[in-house]
Every structure is written in C-alpha cells, then in structure tokens.
C-alpha cells in the first residue's frame, strides 16, 4: 500500500525526512498497527512475563494498551485475554 502523497509531504515538511524515508516510516507504522489483536496480546503477555509481571497486572495493562491504539481494539475481558494466550 502506497502512503498518501499528502501524508508524505506533511512528514517531509515537519520532520526533515526525505520522501523515501517518510514513506518507509509510514510503512513501518502501518505494519506495526496492522498486527492482529490476538498476536499483540500474546506478544505483550510474553514480554511482560519475562519481567516478572503477574497475570492480573498484565491483563490490566494489556486492556489499557489496547484501548490507546489508534484504531482501538474492542474492550476485552480478562477471560477473553486469557483465552487468547492460553487457548
């Protein structure tokens, strides 16, 4: 998907990036946010577990993180989050 030329121009004008760099950054951001919710939940759960976080804390943090995404995921219960991780 080619980013809109308006967005590329905006990034070039406001950041000093070249047009090629701006297109690459836009592509990276779009790809990051295209990760399916289930994959985000599993990835972040594993990351937070490595730092010793416990599930109640992790589930609260995941719910908060998901709600702040540009296109927010639907509100998920702890049970739904747990099922995404453990099946």
């Amino acid at each position: 998907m080619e980013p809109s030329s308006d967005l590329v121009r905006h990034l070039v004008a406001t950041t000093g990036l070249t047009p090629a760099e701006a297109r690459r950054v836009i592509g990276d951001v779009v790809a990051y946010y295209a990760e399916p919710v289930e994959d985000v939940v599993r990835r972040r759960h594993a990351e937070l577990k490595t730092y010793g976080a416990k599930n109640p804390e992790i589930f609260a943090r995941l719910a908060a993180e998901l709600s702040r995404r540009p296109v927010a995921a639907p509100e998920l219960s702890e049970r739904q989050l747990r099922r995404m991780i453990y099946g």
Side-chain angles (χ1 to χ4, degrees), residues 9-32:
R9 279 194 300 277
H10 174 74
L11 280 179
V12 168
T14 60
T15 65
L17 295 173
T18 67
E21 291 168 331
R23 281 190 290 280
R24 192 189 81 235
V25 167
I26 294 165
D28 287 349
V29 170
V30 169
Y32 177 83

Side-chain angles (χ1 to χ4, degrees), residues 6 10 20 22-23 33 35 50 53-54 66 71 80 84 86:
D6 290 342
H10 174 74
R23 281 190 290 280
Y33 284 110
E35 183 179 19
T50 64
K54 303 294 182 207
L66 291 172
V71 177
Q80 290 170 307
M84 286 180 189
Y86 299 114

